[in-house]
Amino acid sequence: MLIRDIRNGSYARAKDRSVLCELLHPAHEPECTNRYSLAHAVVPHGEATLPHRLNTSSETYYILAGEGRMHIGDESAPVREGQVVYIPAGATQWIENTGQGDLVILAIVDPMWSEGDEEIL
């Protein structure tokens, strides 16, 4: 049985400037056979991630708390708690926190995130 708890997770600034805790990554867990990786991300109040793209992986954000503005390619839209955002592979993306508190996101990358696939723009 594999159980992860974000209260015991290790958070660090990711290359895109979000504060990230990797919850599940098949490359680091031999018993995990899924294709995707899962991370808990925070964009602090008044901050935004850097524009970036995953060249071969798609990403899905589930907004757990807060409000923001999602930018994908030439489009942007407000996002809030309870919404899901799909980001296709190869799309330039970034998200800004427009709310009063932290913007908290569950990020699912399929196939699993790899450093060589991410490009900061």
Side-chain angles (χ1 to χ4, degrees):
M1 182 179 303
L2 178 61
I3 298 173
R4 293 284 183 260
D5 188 329
I6 60 172
R7 293 171 293 190
N8 302 327
S10 175
Y11 286 82
R13 283 281 180 170
K15 289 190 327 185
D16 72 358
R17 302 302 299 147
S18 63
V19 180
L20 193 80
C21 174
E22 185 175 79
L23 292 172
L24 186 65
H25 196 293
H28 306 136
E29 306 296 338
E31 65 271 38
C32 185
T33 59
N34 52 301
R35 291 175 20 117
Y36 65 87
S37 58
L38 182 66
H40 186 258
V42 177
V43 180
H45 171 71
E47 295 188 23
T49 62
L50 296 174
H52 62 286
R53 73 174 150 239
L54 300 178
N55 290 306
T56 61
S57 295
S58 65
E59 192 163 16
T60 302
Y61 284 175
Y62 176 63
I63 311 298
L64 296 169
E67 298 176 358
R69 176 161 287 276
M70 185 75 217
H71 302 265
I72 302 173
D74 295 331
E75 297 181 284
S76 73
V79 293
R80 62 175 167 28
E81 179 179 333
Q83 292 183 319
V84 172
V85 179
Y86 173 74
I87 306 157
T92 298
Q93 60 157 308
W94 61 285
I95 191 166
E96 58 184 311
N97 182 340
T98 60
Q100 298 303 309
D102 288 342
L103 177 59
V104 183
I105 302 164
L106 188 64
I108 304 160
V109 178
D110 183 38
M112 72 185 96
W113 180 87
S114 71
E115 186 173 359
D117 190 37
E118 184 173 24
E119 187 178 358
I120 303 297
L121 305 170

